[in-house]
Structure formats: C-alpha cells, structure tokens
C-alpha cells in the first residue's frame, strides 16, 4: 500500500491530478443540483461516447461511394459477425442522443437556468443541439437508401429557395449538379470529421462555462435572480450546503447514465438497426420515404402546408426560429426561475411539444411521398403550350408530374442541375431525345423502366416543340416528316 501511495504521490506531483480533480469533477455544487431533473446532460454525453466508439468501428467497414455504400451495410448486417449489432448500437445511440439533448434543453428552459450569468452557456448549448441534429441527418444519409437519397433531395430543395445564395448552396452541398458520389463524399466528411470535431469543441467550451459559472441551483418559487447580487448569493449557497460533484453529487447521473446505456444495448439487441429502404434510385420518384423520427415533424409540416407557404417558412420562419432560440436569454430576462411563476414558458413548451408530437404522428401515418417542388412548383409557362397538339400537352403534363423540372428549367424557371429545356429541340434530334430519356447519360439517370411507352412518346413530342420560332428543330439525316411524334411546330 505504501508503494501504491508513493506512486500516486509521484504522479500527482507531476500531473497535478489532485488540483485537476478539485477544479473539474471535484468542484462544489449546490446540494439542490443533485436532482433527477439534472441528469439529462450527462446522459447525453454517454450517448456521444457510444456514437464515437461505434462510429469509428463502422468507418472501418463502410465505403462512402454510391455503388458500395448500400452493399457495405448489407455486409455489416448479414456477413460481418455482430455487424448488425454494431449498427444497432450506433442507430439507437443516435436516437437516444437526440431525444436526451432535446429533453435537456426543455428542462433548462423551464427551470430558467439560461438566465444571468449563464446566457453564453445556453447559446453554446443551442449550437450543440443543432450540431447533434446535423450529426443525425448526415448519419441517416450514410445509409444511402431511398430514405437517405430523398432526404438529401429535400434539403437541397430547401437550400435552393434561399434568395441569392440558393444555387451556390445547393452546389456546395452536392459537390456538383446532382446528388451523387461527390454528395455522399461530402456528407461522409461532415459526419465523420467536421461535425464530430465541432461537437467536441463546443462540448469543451460548454463544460468550461459550467465549471466557471457553476451548475444552477434548483429553482425556488419566489426567489429572484438579481444580477447585482446573484454571484455572492450563489457562492454563499455553495459555501453552506455545497457538495462535490463527484462522488456526492453525481450518483443520480451515474445511475441514469447506466440505465440509458442499458436501454441502448437492449434496443440494439431486441429491435436491431434501421433496415435500409432499398438502394438509392433517383428515378423512383413515387417512392414512399420516411426520415428518422427526429425529422418526421418537419416532413409532415411541409407535406401539410399549402405550397405558397413553403418559401415563406423556409426563407423567413425557420431562420427566425433559430435566431429566437439563441436569443432566449435576452428576451426572457425576468427574475423568476420556477416554472410555476412562469406560465408563459410552460404554455410555450406545451404547445411546441404537442405540435411536434402531432406532426410526427402524421408523418408516420401519412401516405405522402416527398413533393420535390422547390423548382417544379412553377407551372409550365403558357407560351410553351399555346397552340401545341394534344399529344404535346400530355407531354407537358408528364414533364411536371414526373418532376423533371427539379433538375431542368424552362427559360430560366426551374432547376439548375440539368440544362435548360427551352431550346432542347435545337440541340437534340427526336431519336436523341428518346435515347436520353430512356437510357440517361451524363448526370441524368435512365427513366426507361419508369415511363410507359406512351408517356415517352408524349414527353418527346412536347420536348420537340421547344425551339425558337425562327429556328427549326434539329433533324437527323435519316429523319422525315413521318416520325412517330411529328414534332409539331409551335404556332
């Protein structure tokens, strides 16, 4: 024992372990802070550790390319020993982490723990919350199944509506004109390097602020927060009734963290990981994707709201909501902290949570497919259908119904990922148009398996009319006036 004590003293003299303990987990906190209401932050940290460990293990097998991503998940699920269980731990760890960080923020808001002098602690916590959401979304994308592919398309659709920077933001996120190999590579970099690095950096700042400013005491009805006297009052409470964070004050945190760990282990073993929803296929526009639970509310909200509100919500409401979240300490500056004396805060939390749960339920039950109309919400301009044949009119309808304008514009109105179709008939002959639709080419996927022959005929008939009045459509040397579509001239 003497040798062990001497070794400990030798290490302490060189590493200052005793002083490190006193200034970190050994620092004194109010006895009232050792409450079951204060365990959600430490439980979130447990989930983060699980995510980092399982994520490193998964990265040893996962291949971040469109051709191999889905196959690597199947390998993990069906061939790699306990690969399915590793994926399950990572999946359920993500779910629990998002849920716990949300509960932690709600608890902080209801207890008024964001008030003086902890405004910056709240703001860093908001940044941690957004980083956690970003981590969850990029993790969903790693599956690169139908859910992941259309989830990225929806995010791109949202970014595309940002005034002035929409086009640049979509290209920056996608790494090119379409969702493809560059997109998955960028999301992989975000998920494995950028966001975890940001999370760890923000977490260090958050813990530092907690150590410097202390853990807020349990709120008492009628006890006000007075900036001029709060620090002296807090130090007085810690001096009289304070306990060390560890071991006296952290017992409940350890118990709850162990229960969360047990719940994740059991969910991974009994329920398993999220099963991928088929390989990503951009031609399957009638698929029925579903995001992971933390995005179901947003999914349902955009499906339910009228189309004319979408741009307003994306461009103005969502950024304003994020700004208001960060600004809470500067908006709610009253001296009361106890929820019973702050009915407005309780009502606000109740309304928000009920709305989120209701929308999430609608997102689970609904039969909706994603309505990718960030670009194609604009109808075909009248001049492109005026005087056309019934067959060409049917082709214009197919162009909209199949959401071709997510990628293609008509005279500047529409997507920017593919070429503008306003003059496509001067660039491609009828045969070339048919081949492009059926077989794809360049960045365009093949739609031969997803369009009936009569739909291809009608679509090509409409595309063949898209040329200036003073310029004839392109013709191959072997073409004649007896072509099946006839390429009716615009009048």
């Amino acid at each position: 024992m003497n040798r062990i004590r001497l070794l400990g003293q030798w290490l302490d003299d060189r590493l200052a372990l005793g002083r490190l303990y006193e200034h970190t987990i050994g620092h004194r906190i109010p006895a009232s802070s050792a409450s079951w209401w204060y365990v959600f932050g430490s439980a979130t940290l447990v989930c983060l550790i699980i995510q980092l460990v399982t994520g490193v293990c998964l990265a040893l097998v996962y291949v971040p390319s469109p051709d191999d991503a889905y196959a690597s998940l199947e390998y993990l699920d069906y061939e790699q020993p306990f690969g399915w269980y590793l994926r399950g731990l990572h999946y359920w760890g993500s779910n629990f982490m998002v849920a716990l960080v949300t509960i932690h923020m709600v608890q902080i808001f209801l207890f008024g723990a964001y008030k003086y002098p902890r405004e910056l602690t709240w703001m860093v916590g908001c940044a941690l919350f957004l980083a956690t959401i970003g981590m969850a979304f990029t993790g969903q994308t790693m599956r690169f199944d139908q859910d992941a592919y259309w989830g990225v398309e929806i995010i791109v659709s949202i970014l595309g509506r940002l005034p002035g920077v929409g086009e640049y933001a979509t290209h920056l996120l996608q790494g090119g004109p379409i969702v493809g190999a560059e997109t998955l590579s960028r999301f992989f970099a975000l998920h494995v390097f950028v966001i975890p690095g940001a999370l760890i950096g923000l977490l260090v700042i958050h813990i530092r602020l907690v150590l410097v400013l202390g853990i807020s005491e349990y709120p008492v009805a009628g006890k006000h927060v007075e900036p001029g006297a709060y620090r002296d009052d807090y130090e007085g409470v810690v001096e009289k009734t304070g306990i060390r964070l560890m071991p006296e004050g952290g017992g409940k945190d350890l118990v709850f963290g162990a229960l969360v760990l047990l719940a994740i282990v059991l969910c991974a073993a009994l329920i398993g990981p999220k099963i991928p929803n088929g390989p990503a296929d951009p031609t399957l526009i009638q698929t029925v994707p579903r995001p992971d639970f933390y995005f179901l509310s947003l999914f349902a909200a955009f499906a339910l709201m009228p189309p004319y509100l979408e741009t307003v919500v994306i461009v103005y409401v969502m950024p304003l909501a994020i700004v208001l979240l960060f600004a809470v300490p500067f908006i709610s500056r009253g001296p009361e902290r106890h929820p019973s004396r702050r009915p407005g805060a309780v009502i606000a939390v109740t309304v928000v949570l009920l709305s989120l749960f209701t929308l999430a339920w609608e997102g689970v039950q609904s039969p909706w497919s994603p309505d990718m109309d960030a670009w194609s919400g604009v109808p075909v301009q009248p001049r492109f259908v005026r005087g056309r044949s019934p067959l060409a009119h049917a082709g214009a309808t197919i162009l909209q119904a199949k959401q071709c304008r997510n990628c293609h514009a008509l005279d500047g109105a529409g997507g920017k990922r593919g070429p503008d179709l306003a003059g496509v008939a001067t660039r491609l002959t009828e045969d070339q148009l048919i081949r492009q639709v059926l077989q794809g080419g360049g960045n365009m996927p093949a739609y031969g398996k997803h369009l009936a022959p009569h739909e291809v005929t009608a679509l090509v008939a409409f595309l063949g009319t898209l040329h200036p009045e003073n310029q004839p459509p392109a013709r191959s040397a072997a073409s004649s006036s007896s072509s099946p579509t006839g390429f009716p001239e615009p009048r």
Side-chain angles (χ1 to χ4, degrees), residues 276-298:
N277 184 21
D281 186 350
T283 65
L284 294 176
I285 61 172
Q286 301 303 327
T287 187
V288 186
R290 285 293 182 276
D292 290 343
F293 85 93
Y294 24 80
F295 297 112
L296 281 172
S297 301
L298 189 64

Side-chain angles (χ1 to χ4, degrees), residues 107-305:
Q107 176 262 318
I108 294 295
F109 179 77
L110 288 176
F111 281 24
Y114 56 83
K115 297 189 177 185
Y116 178 89
R118 300 178 179 86
E119 301 92 340
L120 188 57
T121 309
W122 168 266
M123 296 176 71
V124 175
C126 291
L128 279 168
F129 172 74
L130 294 179
T132 302
I133 295 297
M135 192 78 168
F137 179 77
T138 53
Q140 173 184 307
T141 305
M142 294 300 97
R143 293 196 296 265
F144 213 63
D145 57 355
Q146 286 294 89
D147 291 344
Y149 177 84
W150 287 105
V152 174
E153 285 284 6
I154 291 172
I155 290 297
V156 169
S157 173
I158 290 174
L159 290 176
R161 300 204 187 189
L162 298 178
V165 299
E167 181 178 352
Y168 303 102
T170 57
H171 277 263
L172 178 64
L173 188 65
Q174 292 180 155
I178 64 169
V179 175
E182 296 86 355
T183 312
L184 184 58
S185 177
R186 295 194 176 199
F187 272 84
F188 180 77
L190 288 172
H191 186 69
V192 174
F193 302 110
V194 179
I195 300 180
L199 267 172
I200 293 172
L202 290 169
L203 182 62
V204 170
I205 298 173
H206 193 68
I207 293 176
R208 174 61 179 169
L209 289 170
V210 171
L211 293 175
V212 170
L213 302 174
I215 298 176
S216 64
E217 65 276 27
Y218 196 92
V220 177
K223 184 178 180 181
H224 293 180
V225 176
E226 301 293 345
Y230 177 79
R231 288 183 181 271
D232 292 336
D233 293 342
Y234 182 83
E235 291 175 2
V237 170
V238 172
E239 184 68 27
K240 292 178 181 179
T241 66
I243 58 177
R244 290 179 297 176
L245 176 60
M246 287 292 178
E248 293 95 340
K252 294 182 176 66
D253 294 83
L254 293 176
V255 171
F256 188 73
L259 291 175
V260 168
L261 177 60
L262 178 62
I264 293 173
V265 168
L266 290 177
C267 286
L270 300 177
I271 304 176
K274 177 74 174 286
I275 301 301
N277 184 21
D281 186 350
T283 65
L284 294 176
I285 61 172
Q286 301 303 327
T287 187
V288 186
R290 285 293 182 276
D292 290 343
F293 85 93
Y294 24 80
F295 297 112
L296 281 172
S297 301
L298 189 64
F299 173 82
F302 282 115
L304 283 171
M305 73 175 63

